[in-house]
Amino acid sequence: SDVCSSDLKTPISTIGLAGEALLDPAMAADADNVRYYVHLIRSENKRLGQLVENVLRAAMLDQGELELFRQRVNFHDLLKEVLRNHAIHIKKQGGATASQLAATDPIIDGDRTHLMNVVFNLVDNAIKYGGESPRLTVRSWNEPGALHVAFTDNGIGISREHIGKVFDKLYRVPTGNVHDVKGFGLGLSYVHAVMQQHGAQIDVVSVPGEGSTFTLVFPQSTTA
């Protein structure tokens, strides 16, 4: 299945970059640095294993049907983990992230691996399309019976004519330069499928040339 083909490249390149960093004598001289990169390699390798499992599972299922293994997920912990693991890519592109996690109840019921892939996709897109110095702000808040998580970037934005199609399979937002596009559409169609399977929604608001905000809305049980 090509569901996660673009996702597979991210952990592979992260492991590669971490390996390069460990070969740098200046980096290797600092024990804390070594620990950080070894931890990164281990966690990304584990993630790669889960992604491969997902690809194989998706290949066995009907197209568009994702099998969910539901559990209690602390979405704040998940966001922090993804941002921590993505830090090396963000730094390499001269980017920066900011978090404003204001939700008092970040617990949802969902498939941690698929939801992690969703967050990775959204962070990856923000960095990929953020130009010279990508800026990403991640915010969370609660509304009655719902958790909202918004990803705001300063990227190329999406014009009104294309915004309705961003979640279509294989649809790619034209950037003017065909070589700039690295699987934008495929990642978002996967994100959309995961959200649908969770009974959740994803909304996008965008201003061409200024950036986009992707907002995830997860239902939460109102009972404690």
Side-chain angles (χ1 to χ4, degrees), residues 2 13 20 23 33 45 53 62 92 108-109 121 156 167 170 184 186 214 224:
D2 58 4
S13 68
E20 278 173 37
L23 286 171
N33 263 337
N45 189 53
E53 228 172 90
D62 293 336
K92 201 178 182 205
I108 60 157
D109 177 38
N121 258 300
I156 55 171
F167 299 118
L170 293 175
F184 193 60
L186 193 64
F214 288 88

Side-chain angles (χ1 to χ4, degrees), residues 96-113:
T97 59
S99 300
Q100 296 161 13
L101 307 181
T104 49
D105 178 10
I107 307 294
I108 60 157
D109 177 38
D111 184 309
R112 197 173 191 282
T113 305

Side-chain angles (χ1 to χ4, degrees), residues 16-133:
L17 288 168
E20 278 173 37
L22 287 169
L23 286 171
D24 180 338
M27 288 280 192
D30 184 332
D32 284 343
N33 263 337
V34 172
R35 249 196 310 277
Y36 169 75
Y37 287 115
V38 170
H39 173 76
L40 195 61
I41 290 169
R42 277 183 63 189
S43 65
E44 285 295 87
N45 189 53
K46 189 175 161 194
R47 185 175 133 66
L48 195 54
Q50 290 175 324
L51 280 166
V52 170
E53 228 172 90
N54 275 357
V55 171
L56 296 175
R57 200 183 304 134
M60 289 185 281
L61 293 164
D62 293 336
Q63 215 174 0
E65 279 297 307
L66 302 163
E67 200 179 333
L68 299 183
F69 295 100
R70 287 181 180 270
Q71 54 182 301
R72 276 167 61 83
V73 175
N74 182 323
F75 215 82
H76 283 180
D77 288 352
L78 189 145
L79 286 168
K80 287 171 193 166
E81 190 178 332
V82 172
L83 290 172
R84 190 171 62 240
N85 289 1
H86 231 73
I88 190 170
H89 289 277
I90 295 163
K91 203 171 162 189
K92 201 178 182 205
Q93 289 211 209
T97 59
S99 300
Q100 296 161 13
L101 307 181
T104 49
D105 178 10
I107 307 294
I108 60 157
D109 177 38
D111 184 309
R112 197 173 191 282
T113 305
H114 279 301
L115 290 174
M116 204 161 197
N117 294 343
V118 162
V119 175
F120 255 88
N121 258 300
L122 294 174
V123 172
D124 209 36
N125 276 341
I127 301 308
K128 210 181 273 177
Y129 292 89
E132 289 298 296
S133 51

Side-chain angles (χ1 to χ4, degrees), residues 124-202:
D124 209 36
N125 276 341
I127 301 308
K128 210 181 273 177
Y129 292 89
E132 289 298 296
S133 51
R135 294 275 174 276
L136 168 67
T137 303
V138 184
R139 291 174 296 124
S140 76
W141 67 95
N142 290 112
E143 279 180 20
L147 171 69
H148 293 245
V149 183
F151 298 79
T152 302
D153 65 53
N154 63 336
I156 55 171
I158 306 157
S159 68
R160 188 170 291 184
E161 60 178 304
H162 299 297
I163 209 155
K165 303 176 193 167
V166 290
F167 299 118
D168 294 355
K169 218 173 194 65
L170 293 175
Y171 184 77
R172 288 171 173 186
V173 177
T175 60
N177 177 354
V178 76
H179 301 296
D180 285 347
V181 179
K182 307 179 186 88
F184 193 60
L186 193 64
L188 286 177
S189 70
Y190 167 71
V191 164
H192 191 240
V194 172
M195 293 299 286
Q196 275 188 321
Q197 288 288 106
H198 279 83
Q201 68 188 77
I202 178 164

